Amino acid sequence: MFDASFYKQVLPERITEECQQRPGDIPVVNLHLASGRVMDLCHIVHLADLWFAVNYFRETESCKDMDLAFLPYELVTMVTVSLHHPQSRPIGFSVKEKA
C-alpha cells in the first residue's frame, strides 16, 4: 500500500531524479485507483494517517480546472510518473508540498 511516507519522500525524490535526467520536461503523475479511474495530479494538499487530499486536473489539455479529492491510501493501486514535452502539456505535477 502507498502510505504517507511514500507521497512525502519516495515520490518527490523519484520525480526529482527523473526531471534531472530530462530538464525542461513536465512531470505528470497519475494515480490509478481500484475503481479503474485515473487521476492526473497537480499536487498533494494534505497527508493524514489514513487518507490524503490531492488537487487533480479535470482535463489535461489546458490544465486550467482542478478538483479536490480526499482518498484513503488503500484506494490507490498504482502510481505512474511520466515526463512530457512542454508543448504537449502546459502544467504537470508540483513536487513542492502544499500541505
Side-chain angles (χ1 to χ4, degrees):
M1 175 177 72
F2 299 103
D3 59 6
S5 65
F6 171 81
Y7 295 102
K8 188 179 279 189
Q9 296 170 346
V10 176
L11 184 61
E13 288 173 6
R14 190 63 199 155
I15 292 169
T16 300
E17 286 179 28
E18 291 293 317
C19 289
Q20 287 173 347
Q21 293 178 24
R22 289 177 41 193
D25 281 358
I26 306 293
V28 174
V29 174
N30 286 314
L31 296 184
H32 300 261
L33 307 182
S35 65
R37 183 172 184 181
V38 177
M39 299 178 87
D40 186 338
L41 295 191
C42 177
H43 59 271
I44 296 170
V45 176
H46 183 79
L47 298 169
D49 290 337
L50 300 175
W51 58 271
F52 66 120
V54 299
N55 276 123
Y56 67 97
F57 297 110
R58 219 177 281 162
E59 54 81 24
T60 59
E61 284 189 32
S62 69
C63 298
K64 288 182 181 178
D65 295 321
M66 288 184 285
D67 287 328
L68 176 66
F70 297 88
L71 306 163
Y73 290 117
E74 64 267 8
L75 187 61
V76 180
T77 60
M78 182 171 66
V79 177
T80 58
V81 177
S82 59
L83 297 176
H84 294 253
H85 191 275
Q87 289 179 338
S88 67
R89 178 68 184 244
I91 288 179
F93 180 76
S94 175
V95 176
K96 295 183 180 185
E97 188 175 334
K98 304 288 181 183

